[in-house]
Amino acid sequence: MTETERQHQLSVAETVDAAAAQAGAATALPPDDPLHAGGETRSQWRDIWRQFRSHKGAIVALVLFVGIILFVLVGPLIWTIDPTYVDIRARNSGFSAAHPLGTDQLGRDMLARLMAGGQVSIAVGLTAMIIAVSLGSLIGLLSGYFRRLDAPLMRLTELFLALPLLPLLLLMVTLFREPLSQNFGPALGIFILIVSAIGATSWMQAARIVRGDVLGLKEREFILAAKSIGTPAHRMILRHVLPNVLSPIMVAATLGIATAIITESALSFLGLGFPPDFPTWGRLLYDAVDQMIQYPSRVILPGVFISLTVLCVNYIGDGLRDAMDPRIRGR
Amino acid sequence: ERGSDGALNIIMWQAPSTMNPYLSGGTKEIIASSMTLEPLAGMTPEGEHYTRLAAEIPTLENGGIAEDLKSVTWKLQEGLKWSDGSPVTAEDVVFTGQYCMDPNGGCSQLAKFEGIESIEAVDDLTVRINFTDAMPDPYSAFVGSQSPILQKVQFENCLGANAPTCTDQNFNPIGTGPFRVTQFLTNDVITFEANPEYRDPAKPAFATATVKGGGDAAAAARAVLETGEFDYAWNTQLAPDVIAGMEQMGRGKVSAAFGSLVERIHVNLTDPSSSHPEGERSTEAHPHPFLTDPAVRQALSMAIDRQLLTEIGYGTSGQPTCNYVPAPEAWASDNTECLTQDIEGAKALLEEAGWTVGGNGIREKDGVQLRMVYQTSVNAVRQDFQALIKQWWSEIGIETELKTIDASVFFGSDPGSPDTLQKFYADVQMYADNFEGGNPAPYLAKWTCDKAPSPANQWQGENISRYCDPAYDELMAELSRTVDPAERAEIGKRLNDMLTKESNAIIPLVYRGTASAHSNTLGGVQLNAWDSEMWNVADWTRVSQ
Amino acid sequence: MDDKPLVSIENLRVEFETSDGVVVGVRDVTFDIKPGECVCVVGESGSGKSVSSLSLMRLVEFGGGTIAGGRLMFEADDGRVIDLAQQSLPAMRDIRGNQIGMIFQEPMTALNPVFTVGEQLTEGLIVHRGLKKSDARARALEILRQVRIPEPERRLDQYPHELSGGMRQRVVIAIAMACEPRLLICDEPTTALDVTIQAEILALIDRLKREKQIAVLFITHDMAVVAQMADRVVVMYRGNKVEEGPVAQIFENPREDYTKMLLAAVPRLGEMTGKSAPERMRLMRDGSVSAPEPIIVKDPRPLLTVRNLTTRFPVKGGLLRRTMARVHAVEDVSLTINAGETLSLVGESGCGKSTCGRSILRLVEPESGRVSLDGTDILALSPGDLRRARRDMQMIFQDPFASLDPHMKLYDQVAEPLENFGIGSRSERKDRIAALFDRVELPRSFMRRYPHEMSGGQRQRIAIARALALNPKLIIADEAVSALDVSVQAQVLNLLMELQGDLGISMLFISHDMAVVERVSHHVGVMYLGRIVEMGTRRQVFENPQHNYTRQLMAAVPVADPRQKKISEDLKFKPIPSPIHPVDYQAAPSVYREVAPGHKVLVEPSTHH
Amino acid sequence: MLTFTIRRLLLAIPTLLFISLVIFLLLEASPGDPLADVPLTVPPEVRERMREALGLGSPWYVRYVLWLKQFFWVEPLYWFDQAFGTQFSAGMQRIISFQSRSPVFDIIAQRVPQTLTVVGFSYLVGILIAIPIGILSAYRQYSWFDQIGTFVSMIGFSMPTFFTGVVLIIIFGVKLQWFPSVYDTTLVVRDWDSFLAQVRQMIMPVTVLALYNAAQISRFMRASMLDNLRQDYVRTARAKGLSERTVVLKHVLRNSLIPVITVIALGLPTVFGGAIITEQVFKVNGLGQLLITAIHGNDIPMVLTLTFMFAILIVLFTLIADILYGILDPRIRYD
Ligand SMILES: Nc1ncnc2c1ncn2[C@@H]1O[C@H](COP(=O)(O)OP(=O)(O)OP(=O)(O)O)[C@@H](O)[C@H]1O
Ligand SMILES: Nc1ncnc2c1ncn2[C@@H]1O[C@H](COP(=O)(O)OP(=O)(O)OP(=O)(O)O)[C@@H](O)[C@H]1O
Ligand SMILES: [Mg+2]
Ligand SMILES: [Mg+2]
């Protein structure tokens, strides 16, 4: 019997057609029904997407998230009021046709401000989170995996944990604000400054968590097995270690977005943020806290947007995590 | 009757860090210490002097001030006692002067002792202060809560470099005021009890007082106006509608006292552009490309609606103003023409000066575009002002980029930082400033040519606008020679007008009061912008609503 | 014997949902077990044996399966007959561990890595028997002794990863038997055990069965064990039961082709007597038996030489986990493997065979010694060179599930070694992997699956395919075929030998199955307590065993003939010496006596009497 | 492990020295001025003199070494003297705050109790509610409990405390008047009444902080539990007939604890660091408020000392976390 024939035979048995297999088993050894042998692996990402699709919460969250993104990106094209335009006569107005979501204390249109603010907040939140989480995961992976790097990297982490944030940020502004805005233009320059400031000061938790998990994982036998087939370190980390520590990373990422959005608003109070007339969700929220009783919608709206974004990201993260976990996949 | 009204609760959201005003120049410390420590004389809300420990205010008439203006003699009241029961003597006053003037002590109130040659005790109750030169305004040292009298016995070992080691003394100074400290937790809480030795046996009405720190202005106002947990809140600078909302609860109200604080915009007459090498930015080496044009400066001022700014930012605790020196009465110039906004006029002015609108709506002349960076410290009201003013300026064709800086950086004069007030690496900047006591002369003296900040003086100059007019310098010199109060005031007004309406180097916006909230059950409160707000705390009582 | 069955499985059908759709694990299985009876389930690897037994415990649900049909009738201890498939979870809880005990197939992953053996062992006792901690510990100790774990006191405080494969398996057995359940499900309980211990374990189970009227469901691939243990045999094939009958009938009179093929493939000890070269396995395909071809290497040249290899593990204790003692896992071992030849290592479970293999590959760092592969000194290599050197030496791990990355598809797992060394283009790799799947008898559709979606034997084949992917010069096969049914085992072994013949691969074959060892090896080393006690050509060792331990081993090999039952004989338990010594212990060097050219026997230190 | 611990403790000394140097240099380099608070009316010469009186006249390395000496030598001596009535530290300069001109350590000692009661307690509460919620959410993944837990914790985490705190104050302080909006740091618990008062004033800040902490910890707990719930050893535990409770709370939990321990261990030093915003909202003048006022006032000795003590705690707690990893997972090896 040739190899191919044998393969056919095995495939037949594996097909889901129970009746045929039953008959085959009852009578003789497998019939030689030629059937295509499913050889290739389907793309892993397609698989993950398929699985992700079946996660109701994640899909709802994804749709909502896309909605939010459209709101902040496409919205300003439709609702063209300048978010910084001061219309002093219309100040503190409630919901109306001219200002569907009202105006603020200077008569700036809240809808336009929420849209403009969302662009910044989401961009900052996502980018800073990505920076923090990748940096954190990288350092965590390296120090967990390479015993020699562990001590220096963890001491570095301790150093960063210990640094007082405020002076550090102030120093960063002093040193980098001008060069950055000269090289990248004021808006992009400040954006880079903000995301790197947030990123550079919030990777430590992820690093510690990842390292802790890697330490345990490293002693698992499949890592030993991978070593025995000559897997080089980088591939070992990327293919064997990283997927197995993904779920805490996912959580860190979700939480990271929330912190980044809030931190951004805190930064503007150090003069580190975008120009003061430029809205962001965090700042809209902060500015309105004092007037919470008089104008509750001004706190609620940005608050809802922040929470909604974070919730969406959380559910998407959950869905992704489930989709990546082969043991859950398929159910 | 002393001690009959129970406890007085005060909230100061910026908490006092010490009870010794000589070690910290902050208003919060001065207010707290004024409950315990007293000067020889204080200022009334109207800006007049009144006696505290002194028997009378020395004047030329009563011979307290020497004819040559080179000395002043103070007489203490008789029978004054420190809260520990010992008598107050002239030695204590002499010692206090010695304490602050010690070169190693780093005394914050040293400016008050400027020009003093010596202080001597003439007898137990008489002190004479000798000046090196004739002193037109001798009411400086020991006048106002900034320079109260310390007890010699207590502070004897705290001179000079030892000053900071005397924690007990600095936190628990023995004083003559209506209250004495029972517990001092720095930056947190101070508890007081009525001073049993206070000179008026019927006062204070409260048996104890607590000064609580922490939180922010809104929280402090809320604690007085909404929850009623506190009787008095200092510095409740909030948006007018927020205050109005809180006052609706009917528990208390916010009132303001007007001193000399003016919120204003400074125009940079030198070029802050980063194209110049470090050390030459914002120095007279490079005049500003367009702000040196008086028309532009005037247009900037004309485009502003000060009335609206006041309404939005300060409500009743502010007044629109065109003056740099808004008070005292005698010194305030009747300069009011800037109070009405005149956008069209501003446009016309610019047009006339050759600044024409370019393609993008920005005015330009000879390739110079009217684009500015407008900086200020982080503060909600200031940011609202920035937004409004930016809009008005854009209406007259001037584009503005806004920038905010953390207050501790902006007001900290660290020569290493590019973002300080003194460096002024922007085209215009906004902040508020005032002078203490009743003498605006030193305040006006900041604007002479030689005081422009530059690398030469480690950026420590006070002439922030880099305003330089020989005529001004000359007039200033004349002021320092003049003694007659009326004449002095006249010169002061001229100087004020030169800075504001004539040159528009300073664009005043709002004459600000200091707002404080107090409960309706607290009687006797009389705000005072010229002295500590607690100046008359001895008279405060509990009243029923 | 009671005639009412204790359990009866009726038309069981179990399905799994995978990314490729529904996979049927068990199609239609019906059989029953009476108290005091041992039913052996044999059959092809992946035919649904484990799934059936997991269904009985209602544990398939936790692995993603569903009982799609059928009934699982069980007579509870109060006499009621209940359908396990319908029981509530709390009711199942009382049955699991208490009335039904189960020995899991892959012991490494079945044990919780962070609890000591003792803790895991006493848990069930405390829950079901209400014992106090100390009593439970005493009982645990007793069971560990029964399953012949050396130094049970110490082992109680060790963690699973510190035990050898066989010890872990015995721990799992002990857990299952702790509460003396009425039905004991044994899923390949002795694959990792050497024959002497296997015999003892089998005897233990047999005794329980007889004395306590326990019903035993025994799943195994070892037909000899079946012959020894079974009262009845159920043969499974691709999710179905194909044949059932009393053991003698199945062995002597099989009806189904599959059963016949299975029996034909069973290697028997002594078949090779008189032959000097190993031969391929007998395989019955299409009713004919393939002819044996001896594998002779023309001029043997040493590929791997190991000299005085010593590996020790620290034993930690106390809160701060200080090193209290050391396990002398491998002690002064020397061996040589010629290119294209197979050296088999046999020996007691826990004697250090796996550690020896791992030390050679430097997967654990040996304490001292010399290893040279084709002239390169492995122990002196830098990490980078070591990685490159691994292209030539591959290991098949003893516990396949633990050695597969749970997050990776099988295709990627097999492709990985190729990618690591940049071998072939994408499509070439694909072809090569497809061919590897074919050769280890796995359908190509499995490429898309994940390790947990496979049966034990299937996983083992993936591990083999992965090791073969690189065409290494040396393969260390650690119990590489123990989880395979005899026919697949024969195919896989033939594949290995074929490759050996074609490519000159050398093999260090670690196994407990003496019949297989006899068939495949050129040389045999017998290990005991970390040392090689006897070493020689296969013939020398098998036909003229010199060391006491070797003889014992030979004597304990079960016979695949239900008429020659050996296990009922009383076995004399010998105390097992311990490889754990204090930190400052000085081990004596091994001294050998040469019996015949190439046949060496350990004389000093004498460990076994 | 013992050698590991000792080695790490020894290594901690140079680490901490280095950290202190970096913090010092950072504070030196960062813009800001201890005299920012001094009114603008004070002339520059006076400012200069005040600056010198703060010791800012000497070069940075001199000040750094002086600080080191004060921190490691003078202060311990001083405490020793306090405890045993000796006089070793007489005449030595302790670390003095720029702002209040009083010894930094005295102020810190004043602040520690209120920080520990409010922030520490809320952290404890946070952990105590987070762990069960995390476990249950994972065990019943996608049940309504999990959904609500997820919802609440994500809202709780994404809403900054400056917002939730003020909302609580407005509802419970202003409208209902149940709890005081200002925390009284001078309250001494002496009897039942003062105890009640203490409880009342702690409820709001503790709630706000606990919610925030719990949200974070429970997410990590849940994720990690989910990872472990599907392992084969869980099947074995079930096969033993253990109750689900034991299976989850013993077998799965212990395997899942490493990320949670990390988060908790990283969070504990921040208890000492105080909760800046919450402390401000509720006027609990703890270490957070101390630090922030010191930073705003550029009180270098205070900031340096506080952050350095913070660094010591961080180093200590990461070490503890590392030791705990080893205890939780015996496979982890450090040597
Ligand atoms: N979780 C799962 N998901 C999908 N398929 C599964 C799963 N578990 C088992 N299977 C499939 O079910 C079939 C039966 O598996 P089972 O484990 O019962 O085999 P087995 O008879 O025990 O084999 P072996 O002797 O190799 O252990 C196999 O084809 C296997 O691939
Ligand atoms: N990581 C470890 N830590 C401590 N001891 C270990 C470790 N690994 C193995 N051992 C011990 O080393 C000895 C030899 O183990 P090894 O796995 O090599 O045995 P083996 O011969 O392969 O046995 P089996 O046939 O049962 O698999 C055993 O006593 C075992 O307990
Ligand atoms: Mg199986
Ligand atoms: Mg082994």
Side-chain angles (χ1 to χ4, degrees), chain A residues 128-145:
Chain A
M129 174 277 283
I130 290 171
I131 294 179
V133 168
S134 348
L135 195 62
S137 309
L138 180 73
I139 290 184
L141 284 170
L142 290 181
S143 77
Y145 190 77

Side-chain angles (χ1 to χ4, degrees), chain C residues 164-198:
Chain C
S164 79
M167 290 176 191
R168 287 175 207 152
Q169 194 159 46
R170 280 174 278 170
V171 170
V172 176
I173 296 173
I175 289 177
M177 300 206 305
C179 293
E180 301 186 330
R182 290 163 58 236
L183 170 65
L184 185 62
I185 304 172
C186 312
D187 195 351
E188 318 238 6
T190 56
T191 43
L193 302 180
D194 66 289
V195 282
T196 57
I197 292 173
Q198 172 177 329

Side-chain angles (χ1 to χ4, degrees), chain A residues 22 27 30 57 63 82 131 140 165 173 184 214 220 246 256 275 291:
Chain A
Q22 233 164 358
T27 50
V63 170
D82 181 355
I131 294 179
L165 215 57
V173 201
F184 299 98
V214 172
R220 297 266 292 272
L246 211 58
Q291 297 153 327

Side-chain angles (χ1 to χ4, degrees), chain C residues 155 158 161-168 170 192-194 313-315 327-330 347-356 398 478-479 510 512 527 579-580:
Chain C
R155 300 295 181 188
Q158 279 192 308
H161 72 278
E162 297 171 347
L163 302 184
S164 79
M167 290 176 191
R168 287 175 207 152
R170 280 174 278 170
L193 302 180
D194 66 289
F313 295 107
V315 177
V327 186
H328 291 230
V330 176
E348 198 198 24
S349 158
C351 68
K353 301 179 297 294
S354 302
T355 309
C356 178
Q398 186 170 10
D478 192 356
E479 302 282 359
I510 300 172
H512 289 306
M527 260 185 100
I580 304 178

Side-chain angles (χ1 to χ4, degrees), chain A residues 1 3-4 6-7 9-19 21-22 24-30 37-44 47 50 148 220-233 235-236 239-241 243-244 324-331, chain C residues 13 17-20 22 27-28 63-64 168 237-238 240 242 256-258 261 285-286 358 361 363 387 390 393-395 397 399 401-409 411-413 416-417 419-421 430 438-439 441-450 452-453 466 470:
Chain A
M1 191 188 257
E3 288 296 329
T4 27
R6 213 152 72 206
Q7 178 62 42
Q9 174 205 111
L10 286 162
S11 321
V12 172
E14 269 304 313
T15 46
V16 194
D17 186 350
Q22 233 164 358
T27 50
L29 277 178
E40 302 149 50
T41 47
R42 229 186 293 112
S43 141
Q44 180 143 1
D47 252 27
R50 230 168 46 99
R148 236 173 322 133
R220 297 266 292 272
E221 204 157 282
F222 70 87
I223 297 288
L224 203 64
K227 216 186 255 170
S228 81
I229 53 171
T231 309
R235 181 167 301 170
M236 192 80 124
R239 291 187 65 167
H240 295 286
V241 181
N244 283 291
M324 302 266 226
D325 186 347
R327 279 181 187 258
I328 305 177
R329 199 181 304 165
R331 250 166 295 143
Chain C
R13 179 183 175 87
E17 226 180 86
T18 69
S19 49
D20 282 339
V22 176
R27 273 201 181 89
D28 181 9
R168 287 175 207 152
Y237 183 66
R238 297 201 178 154
N240 294 293
V242 290
E256 297 295 328
D257 288 350
Y258 177 69
M261 192 183 93
R285 285 274 181 196
D286 307 324
R358 290 176 184 209
L361 292 191
L363 290 170
R387 188 182 83 76
R390 286 203 172 124
M393 45 186 198
Q394 289 287 299
M395 174 140 186
F397 285 80
D399 204 320
F401 193 21
S403 71
L404 294 175
D405 186 338
H407 276 93
M408 237 164 134
K409 292 198 177 177
Y411 176 90
D412 297 323
Q413 313 236 17
E416 191 168 22
E419 289 169 14
N420 286 343
F421 294 100
K430 205 146 74 187
D438 295 349
R439 297 195 90 160
E441 301 282 312
L442 280 178
R444 291 184 181 182
S445 62
F446 273 39
M447 290 179 183
R448 287 195 292 271
R449 288 209 189 168
Y450 288 93
H452 73 277
E453 296 173 337
R466 178 169 66 179
L470 283 175

Side-chain angles (χ1 to χ4, degrees), chain C residues 168-356:
Chain C
R168 287 175 207 152
Q169 194 159 46
R170 280 174 278 170
V171 170
V172 176
I173 296 173
I175 289 177
M177 300 206 305
C179 293
E180 301 186 330
R182 290 163 58 236
L183 170 65
L184 185 62
I185 304 172
C186 312
D187 195 351
E188 318 238 6
T190 56
T191 43
L193 302 180
D194 66 289
V195 282
T196 57
I197 292 173
Q198 172 177 329
E200 286 170 19
I201 299 281
L202 293 181
L204 177 66
I205 295 174
D206 201 54
R207 207 179 65 230
L208 281 175
K209 182 187 87 173
R210 279 181 288 112
E211 288 171 7
K212 305 251 160 89
Q213 286 294 298
I214 284 180
V216 180
L217 174 60
F218 203 99
I219 300 170
T220 184
H221 292 305
D222 191 335
M223 293 311 276
V225 171
V226 175
Q228 298 297 315
M229 288 294 292
D231 295 314
R232 266 184 312 125
V233 178
V234 171
V235 184
M236 283 184 70
Y237 183 66
R238 297 201 178 154
N240 294 293
K241 182 180 82 176
V242 290
E243 187 164 358
E244 179 181 354
V247 59
Q249 184 198 322
I250 295 285
F251 271 80
E252 284 157 17
N253 219 345
R255 276 183 293 114
E256 297 295 328
D257 288 350
Y258 177 69
T259 321
K260 286 180 196 155
M261 192 183 93
L262 208 60
L263 286 168
V266 174
R268 282 161 222 264
L269 187 66
E271 277 177 338
M272 300 290 291
T273 315
K275 301 182 188 169
S276 60
E279 282 176 10
R280 301 251 183 114
M281 305 294 285
R282 262 175 296 116
L283 252 184
M284 193 178 78
R285 285 274 181 196
D286 307 324
S288 63
V289 177
S290 49
E293 317 159 29
I295 299 163
I296 304 162
V297 182
K298 296 268 155 44
D299 80 286
R301 167 184 67 79
L303 178 81
L304 175 79
T305 40
V306 175
R307 290 289 166 264
N308 311 102
L309 191 70
T310 303
T311 305
R312 293 167 188 159
F313 295 107
V315 177
K316 310 249 174 170
L319 186 64
L320 285 168
R321 298 219 277 127
R322 262 183 301 168
T323 305
M324 319 286 272
R326 285 190 300 173
V327 186
H328 291 230
V330 176
E331 195 59 58
D332 193 7
V333 162
S334 306
L335 48 86
T336 308
I337 305 179
N338 294 332
E341 288 194 350
T342 302
L343 170 76
S344 289
L345 263 188
V346 296
E348 198 198 24
S349 158
C351 68
K353 301 179 297 294
S354 302
T355 309
C356 178

